[in-house]
């Protein structure tokens, strides 16, 4: 058995108002390279209070990036990297402020600033050749665990796959629950459910262990407070909890593995462009036979927050589309192995996976 050996975030600041410490936190790093920072900020914040409080200096480059409707692409990272290097040379660091999409852009950009060629060359595990520049993440929507993970997921012409290595992990994360207050209720639900599903999948499979279970159990307790228990809903006490749940759910899956829902979700996102967290919700509701208790509880949360998920999507899909999605999912053997054990190949056949897509 090969035991996982992962790098964690170097430093984490947590607490209401902690975003105000951003400039002081990065000041010592400013001496590196060409003495300026690149800010990658979710376009949602353009013109909002946060954009006036970036604490940037005049030499810094600030990019507001629209993450809707497409998830980050290899092409986007490559052209951003080329533009930044030709404008000002190698920055001291990259600061990402936004959701999972912005976290991934900041992580990928940090690596691609020092690694030559297209990011498509580095989609996969440990393909990156040199450490990137310093990178700091400030999540503004919670659930994906992208703030803690060792991957920067990019959609390329060939595949949707992360730049995955120790150097991908943030040097610093600032967790300020005040920043997630403005998330619209539907996204609050879908993205938070990504954490819930990470934990259910991490727990229900052969790779779970006391370490992944400890993080996952705590994250599930926090999710139940946020989405199910008496004081559930979007409020400041729950925002405090959701931010921590997201990080712990990410650590749970890192030390275990995700499963059937995520394998299908990758197929749906790659072929039809459905957003990760939304795709997970669309799929998870139909996995009662795999994750009985988790799906029952998920449905209670759906009812409680009056979330409407689309049904009968498969009626619009040709067999060709379903086959393409199934092929993407099939090629994630770690997930199927974790979910179904060592004889997973007998269970998770292409036909079985196509049938799962026909449930949606
Ligand atoms: P997102 O970054 O895609 O943002 C979702 C929406 O919320 C956008 O419209 C955004 O503008 C808006 N938003 C963000 N913060 C807001 C705020 N405070 N107030 C109002 N609106 C706000 O959301 P996400 O679900 O966090 O990220 C999804 C992405 O994360 C996908 O691209 C997926 O591939 C990636 N992902 C990465 C990992 C990883 O480990 N690297 C894991 C899971 C998912
Ligand atoms: Zn996920």
């Amino acid at each position: 058995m090969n035991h996982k050996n992962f790098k964690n975030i170097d430093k984490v600041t947590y607490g209401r108002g902690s975003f105000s410490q951003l400039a002081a936190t990065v000041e010592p790093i400013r001496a590196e390279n060409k003495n300026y920072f690149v800010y990658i900020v979710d376009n949602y914040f353009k013109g909002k209070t946060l954009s006036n409080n970036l604490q940037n200096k005049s030499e810094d480059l600030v990019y507001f990036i629209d993450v809707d409707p497409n998830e980050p692409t290899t092409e986007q990272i490559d052209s951003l990297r080329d533009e930044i290097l030709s404008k000002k040379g190698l920055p001291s660091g990259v600061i990402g402020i936004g959701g999972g999409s912005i976290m991934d852009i900041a992580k990928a950009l940090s690596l691609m600033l020092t690694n030559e060629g297209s990011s498509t060359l580095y989609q996969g595990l440990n393909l990156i050749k040199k450490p990137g520049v310093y990178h700091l993440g400030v999540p503004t929507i919670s659930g994906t665990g992208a703030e803690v993970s060792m991957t920067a997921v990019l959609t390329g012409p060939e595949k949707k796959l992360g730049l995955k290595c120790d150097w991908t992990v943030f040097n610093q994360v600032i967790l300020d629950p005040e920043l997630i207050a403005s998330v619209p209720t539907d996204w609050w639900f879908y993205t938070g459910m990504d954490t819930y599903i990470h934990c259910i999948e991490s727990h229900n499979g052969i790779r779970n262990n006391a370490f992944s279970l400890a993080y996952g159990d705590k994250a599930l307790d926090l999710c139940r407070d946020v989405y199910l228990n008496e004081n559930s809903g979007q409020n400041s006490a729950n925002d405090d909890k959701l931010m921590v749940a997201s990080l712990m759910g990410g650590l749970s899956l890192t030390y275990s593995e995700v499963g059937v829902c995520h394998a299908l979700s990758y197929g749906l996102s790659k072929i039809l462009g459905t957003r990760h967290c939304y795709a997970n919700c669309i799929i998870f509701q139909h996995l009662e036979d795999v994750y009985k208790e988790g799906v029952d509880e998920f449905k209670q949360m759906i009812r409680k927050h009056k979330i409407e998920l689309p049904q009968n999507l498969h009626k619009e899909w040709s067999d060709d589309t379903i086959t393409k999605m199934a092929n993407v999912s099939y090629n994630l053997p770690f997930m199927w192995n974790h979910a179904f054990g060592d004889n997973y190949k007998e269970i998770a056949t292409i036909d079985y996976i196509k049938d799962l897509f026909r449930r949606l």
Side-chain angles (χ1 to χ4, degrees), residues 168-323:
T168 314
V169 182
F170 278 117
N171 297 103
Q172 168 87 50
V173 163
I174 296 181
L175 300 177
D176 182 346
E178 283 180 4
L179 302 181
I180 67 173
S182 57
V183 172
T185 305
D186 49 355
W187 283 108
W188 166 80
F189 190 84
Y190 307 141
T191 301
M193 282 302 110
D194 196 24
T195 291
Y196 181 79
I197 297 168
H198 288 159
C199 298
I200 297 294
E201 295 196 308
S202 162
H203 278 25
N204 290 281
I206 59 169
R207 288 187 208 287
N208 79 38
N209 53 71
F211 194 87
S212 73
L213 290 166
Y215 279 120
D217 279 342
K218 190 62 205 174
L220 283 172
D221 284 348
L222 294 166
C223 284
R224 289 181 185 116
D225 281 351
V226 175
Y227 294 102
L228 199 61
N229 294 342
E230 203 180 334
N231 295 316
S232 72
Q234 262 180 303
N235 59 52
S236 58
N238 286 338
D239 289 348
D240 288 357
K241 293 179 182 178
L242 187 56
M243 268 204 144
V244 179
S246 175
L247 187 126
M248 290 194 166
L251 287 171
S252 178
L253 82 84
T254 296
Y255 283 92
S256 173
E257 187 52 82
V258 285
V260 178
C261 184
H262 274 73
L264 298 177
S265 178
Y266 271 77
L268 192 56
S269 296
K270 171 68 188 149
I271 303 304
L272 296 179
T274 313
R275 307 288 289 252
H276 177 78
C277 304
Y278 185 50
N280 283 347
C281 290
I282 291 172
I283 295 159
F284 196 64
Q285 58 178 335
H286 298 293
L287 297 180
E288 258 148 345
D289 51 338
V290 187
Y291 304 114
K292 172 93 184 80
E293 287 171 21
V295 174
D296 284 350
E297 199 169 52
F298 174 77
K299 287 186 172 170
Q300 287 176 45
M301 297 189 273
I302 290 265
R303 283 194 292 275
K304 184 145 194 148
H305 299 288
K306 301 186 172 60
I307 302 294
E308 300 263 351
L309 291 174
Q311 308 293 331
N312 293 317
L313 292 170
H314 70 278
K315 290 188 175 161
E316 315 268 303
W317 298 339
S318 66
D319 189 58
D320 183 49
T321 301
I322 293 178
T323 305

Side-chain angles (χ1 to χ4, degrees), residues 47-104:
K48 304 241 174 20
T49 321
L50 181 139
S51 64
N52 300 325
N53 295 326
L54 288 178
Q55 308 154 54
N56 57 302
K57 292 199 172 168
S58 57
E59 62 267 30
D60 296 338
L61 289 179
V62 180
Y63 289 92
F64 286 96
I65 294 189
D66 192 347
V67 300
D68 297 314
N70 297 318
E71 295 189 333
T73 65
T74 50
E75 201 190 340
Q76 179 184 20
I77 299 299
D78 296 349
S79 60
L80 195 55
R81 180 262 322 263
D82 294 345
E83 182 182 316
I84 291 166
L85 289 179
S86 69
K87 254 189 193 160
K88 293 186 75 101
L90 196 64
S92 316
V94 177
I95 296 166
I97 305 172
S101 304
I102 295 285
M103 296 292 105
D104 282 350

